[in-house]
Amino acid sequence: IWTYAASVEGIMAGFPGTGEYPENYDPRDREWYQTAAKTRGIQWSAADLDESGMGLLVTASTGLYDEKGDLLGVAAIDITFN
């Protein structure tokens, strides 16, 4: 239902675009970002209700690294059960 990525600087891009994030939204504070930034490999969340009304979602997220192994950001996808 959603795909998105956020850099270590807090820049976020998503598809499809929503334009609904508040001005003070920082993706680095979200569980999907923090979990994937601390652990290598794909991280699956527990199923949870989407706050925008899309139903029950599961998120898969993973860290993105440069050739030296430094974290560049996190990419994620939300899967719906509806």
Side-chain angles (χ1 to χ4, degrees):
I1 190 91
W2 308 109
T3 58
Y4 41 95
S7 71
V8 294
E9 293 85 9
I11 299 168
M12 184 169 168
F15 181 81
T18 62
E20 296 179 12
Y21 296 106
E23 177 109 10
N24 62 349
Y25 181 84
D26 189 337
R28 298 168 296 182
D29 294 335
R30 308 298 293 184
E31 183 179 345
W32 61 267
Y33 186 98
Q34 291 184 5
T35 300
K38 294 175 185 172
T39 309
R40 296 255 181 176
I42 298 172
Q43 305 301 310
W44 289 91
S45 73
D48 198 9
L49 286 175
D50 178 52
E51 53 196 41
S52 64
M54 296 306 242
L56 193 60
L57 298 180
V58 172
T59 301
S61 57
T62 189
L64 305 170
Y65 300 90
D66 67 13
E67 63 278 352
K68 294 183 287 181
D70 295 329
L71 183 69
L72 298 172
V74 172
I77 185 169
D78 290 339
I79 301 165
T80 183
F81 290 95
N82 291 346

